[in-house]
Amino acid sequence: MSKPRVFSGVQPSGALHIGNYLGAIRNWVRMQDGNECFFCVVDAHAITVPQDPKRLRALTREIAALYIACGVDPERTVIFVQSHVPAHFEMTWIFNCITPLGWLNRMTQFKEKAGEQREQVSAGLYDYPVLMASDILLYDTDYVPVGEDQIQHIELTRDIAQRFNYLFGETFKLPQAIVQRAGARIMSLDNPEKKMSKSSESPMGTIDLLDEPDAIRQKIMRAVTDSLREIRFDESRKGLYNLLTIYELLSGQSREEIESHFAGRGYAELKRELAELVAESLRPIREKYREIMKDPQYIEDILARGAEKANAIAQQTLRRAKERVGLG
Ligand code: ATP
Ligand code: LTN
């Protein structure tokens, strides 16, 4: 019996932050047991908005190194760069031709990202979910571990697979999203109404995985909370809830334990303890990352091996799809 397949990816659109880690990558690491995993750096998704070419190429390697520093094991798991596997682009064109515009018009991430600029943003940004469907479907993926914001895209992926199967005969497997409830949506520290995001302009809102302890302390001490006193998990108190969630996920303690630990104590103490916890939790990741980056060839080799394995599978699926459609 072959193991279930898992596929996920992150855009090299900025430094990875603890939202990416707690919402996504930490779950990837766990899923390596018992599954065959593919973790991709989705550089073609990143260029749906303008990127500096040099920075993009460097960030692509940085993110791959961070996957490994976080515990993704290149011996067991395929780590690769999306643009190294041309089948993703070809597959996207075919899916474009069976995806109704009405489906794309419903995508909330596009609406959020395009905002007022609807007439100026690229066609690529609009088509982003179709490229994502190609990523997933090319590998006959069973499970897609993601943060909450991506559920709609996975649903669209299933719709595209089903439509293709209906039009051309059974070809694609329907994938399932895996969303860990806790950590699925870590909020920005300086604006708890918004999710923590790589591409946000304000550095005070995000804790990057490579932030030094001093930066971590500074950002957490200044995090926006409310003027109430009692420290407890209350979703309506967004800033506090976010800090407590991060604490919960990194400490492994239960909510009751955390609430009783902080009973009668103030926000400053919570923030101080949280800052130490975050700094300590990220230390091994930072150290391993530095170690890896001492030898740039190491990452190049892993990505080359990953591309080879990914290409072999993706090519086969693409060939199957082209045949069904009558291309070639
Ligand atoms: P960008 O700002 O460029 O959109 P991002 O920070 O939202 O980037 P992505 O590359 O879009 O990150 O997402 C990578 C993974 O991390 C996805 O699975 C996504 O759901 C998850 N993720 C992103 N932000 C958060 C967050 N704040 N909390 C939890 N998970 C998150
Ligand atoms: N859109 C995703 C990144 C992504 C992805 C994927 C995630 C691109 N392709 C395939 C899972 C599976 C995001 O997290 N913003």
Side-chain angles (χ1 to χ4, degrees), residues 16 21 25 28-29 32 39 41 60-80 209 284-293 295-303 305:
L16 287 187
Y21 178 64
I25 297 169
W28 302 3
V29 172
Q32 292 180 113
F39 297 134
V41 185
T60 299
R61 272 77 190 162
E62 181 178 309
I63 302 252
L66 273 171
Y67 286 179
I68 299 169
C70 289
V72 174
D73 175 2
E75 299 306 318
R76 286 195 283 169
T77 288
V78 179
I79 301 173
F80 75 104
L209 292 188
I285 296 176
R286 211 166 49 236
E287 288 174 356
K288 179 134 192 235
Y289 173 81
R290 290 222 185 93
E291 196 56 43
I292 294 169
M293 290 309 259
D295 176 11
Q297 193 55 41
Y298 171 74
I299 287 294
E300 294 303 330
D301 291 345
I302 286 173
L303 294 179
R305 256 198 293 146

Side-chain angles (χ1 to χ4, degrees), residues 62-308:
E62 181 178 309
I63 302 252
L66 273 171
Y67 286 179
I68 299 169
C70 289
V72 174
D73 175 2
E75 299 306 318
R76 286 195 283 169
T77 288
V78 179
I79 301 173
F80 75 104
V81 177
Q82 189 183 29
S83 67
H84 293 175
V85 183
H88 292 236
F89 301 112
E90 291 185 64
M91 196 67 247
T92 300
W93 183 255
I94 296 174
F95 286 150
N96 274 337
C97 297
I98 62 153
T99 303
L101 286 185
W103 291 4
L104 296 183
N105 288 337
R106 288 202 293 270
M107 295 296 113
T108 52
Q109 181 172 297
F110 175 76
K111 289 184 208 163
E112 274 163 31
K113 291 211 170 178
E116 308 281 286
Q117 309 290 312
R118 234 188 129 89
E119 297 294 312
Q120 274 78 46
V121 295
S122 72
L125 188 66
Y126 186 65
D127 202 34
Y128 180 113
V130 181
L131 177 59
M132 181 160 162
S134 303
D135 298 342
I136 297 167
L137 297 176
L138 277 171
Y139 298 89
D140 292 324
T141 301
D142 296 283
Y143 304 115
V144 189
V146 282
E148 202 177 63
D149 58 320
Q150 296 302 311
I151 295 176
Q152 195 185 34
H153 289 159
I154 315 286
E155 277 163 9
L156 181 84
T157 300
R158 292 168 61 92
D159 289 342
I160 291 175
Q162 261 173 318
R163 188 168 167 88
F164 189 102
N165 291 347
Y166 169 75
L167 292 171
F168 301 108
E170 204 58 32
T171 311
F172 292 104
K173 199 173 213 177
L174 300 192
Q176 214 182 305
I178 303 283
V179 182
Q180 228 74 9
R181 200 183 52 80
R185 197 169 169 83
I186 301 294
M187 308 310 279
S188 163
L189 295 182
D190 62 355
N191 179 2
E193 300 289 331
K194 279 184 21 199
K195 77 162 192 150
M196 192 180 279
S197 158
K198 272 193 244 108
S199 44
S200 101
E201 307 85 55
S202 95
M204 290 307 284
T206 57
I207 296 176
D208 292 343
L209 292 188
L210 297 175
D211 273 350
E212 296 290 341
D214 279 346
I216 295 172
R217 280 183 208 113
Q218 202 186 31
K219 290 178 190 180
I220 292 180
M221 294 314 288
R222 289 200 200 159
V224 171
T225 46
D226 50 46
S227 48
L228 300 172
R229 300 189 64 87
E230 199 192 352
I231 295 183
R232 63 186 167 81
F233 283 86
D234 173 354
E235 282 190 58
S236 68
R237 292 161 68 187
K238 293 209 168 69
L240 174 67
Y241 186 79
N242 192 39
L243 297 181
L244 286 173
T245 302
I246 298 171
Y247 192 97
E248 179 189 13
L249 290 167
L250 291 176
S251 69
Q253 292 173 17
S254 70
R255 295 188 166 192
E256 296 70 39
E257 282 173 308
I258 296 169
E259 285 176 352
S260 74
H261 176 70
F262 287 110
R265 298 163 71 192
Y267 287 176
E269 280 177 87
L270 164 66
K271 287 177 169 181
R272 243 188 319 266
E273 280 196 31
L274 178 64
E276 292 319 309
L277 178 63
V278 173
E280 277 315 304
S281 309
L282 298 187
R283 182 185 306 281
I285 296 176
R286 211 166 49 236
E287 288 174 356
K288 179 134 192 235
Y289 173 81
R290 290 222 185 93
E291 196 56 43
I292 294 169
M293 290 309 259
K294 278 187 194 153
D295 176 11
Q297 193 55 41
Y298 171 74
I299 287 294
E300 294 303 330
D301 291 345
I302 286 173
L303 294 179
R305 256 198 293 146
E308 204 176 309

Side-chain angles (χ1 to χ4, degrees), residues 10-26:
V10 170
Q11 305 180 66
S13 51
L16 287 187
H17 51 75
I18 53 167
N20 300 130
Y21 178 64
L22 296 173
I25 297 169
R26 208 165 77 136

